[in-house]
């Protein structure tokens, strides 16, 4: 279709039809601008704001825990608890709301199994064992758990420092 054919077609319409075509053309143009430009930009902005808030929360958490780590490190950090390895492990696991499914002593070490544990709770527990109880992780075997954010500890070998 060339421009002269469009002009001929336009002039063939009565005034009422021309107004209707202009109104529909305007409505379609507004719809296309909204659907192809405004809405994607708005969704991208919302998504970016959520990512920013999430990363700011992570940065705050890292800064808080870095300060906590530094203060523990400066104050001497490593303390030793009295009592058997199994009693220390049971007490601290209960404090972190972790369920130990099996424990097996092996000389001066203790092997521990957990069927399901939140990854962050496991990390806090291990940090507590190292910094407050004087224990160290000799080896650990972790797999992904059934739910998101959970892990299964197949074998965790702990010993006194």
């Amino acid at each position: 279709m060339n421009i002269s054919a469009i002009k001929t077609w336009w002039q063939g319409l009565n005034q009422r039809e021309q107004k209707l075509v202009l109104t529909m053309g305007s409505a379609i143009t507004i719809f296309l601008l909204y659907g192809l430009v405004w809405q994607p930009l708005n969704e991208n902005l919302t998504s970016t704001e959520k990512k920013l808030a999430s990363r700011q929360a992570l940065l705050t958490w890292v800064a808080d825990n870095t300060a906590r780590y530094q203060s523990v490190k400066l104050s001497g950090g490593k303390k030793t608890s009295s009592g058997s390895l199994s009693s220390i492990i049971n007490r601290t696991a209960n404090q972190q709301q972790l369920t130990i499914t099996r424990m097996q002593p092996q000389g001066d070490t203790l092997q521990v199994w957990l069927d399901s544990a939140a990854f962050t709770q496991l990390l806090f527990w291990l940090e507590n064992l190292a910094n407050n109880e004087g224990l160290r992780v000799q080896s650990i075997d972790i797999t992904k758990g059934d739910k998101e954010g959970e892990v299964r500890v197949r074998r965790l070998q702990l010993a006194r420092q």
Side-chain angles (χ1 to χ4, degrees), residues 44-62:
N44 191 16
L45 178 64
T46 303
S47 171
T48 303
E49 287 172 347
K50 286 180 183 178
K51 284 180 187 177
L52 177 63
S54 171
R55 292 198 173 126
Q56 285 175 334
L58 178 61
L59 178 62
T60 302
W61 182 86
V62 168

Side-chain angles (χ1 to χ4, degrees), residues 5-20:
I6 295 174
K7 281 184 181 180
T8 305
W9 172 78
W10 180 257
Q11 291 169 351
L13 298 176
N14 65 35
Q15 194 173 10
R16 186 173 174 200
E17 290 172 337
Q18 287 177 353
K19 285 181 182 180
L20 182 62

Side-chain angles (χ1 to χ4, degrees), residues 142-152:
I142 298 176
T143 60
K144 184 179 177 184
D146 296 332
K147 297 177 185 172
E148 185 155 333
E150 288 190 354
V151 293
R152 181 175 291 133

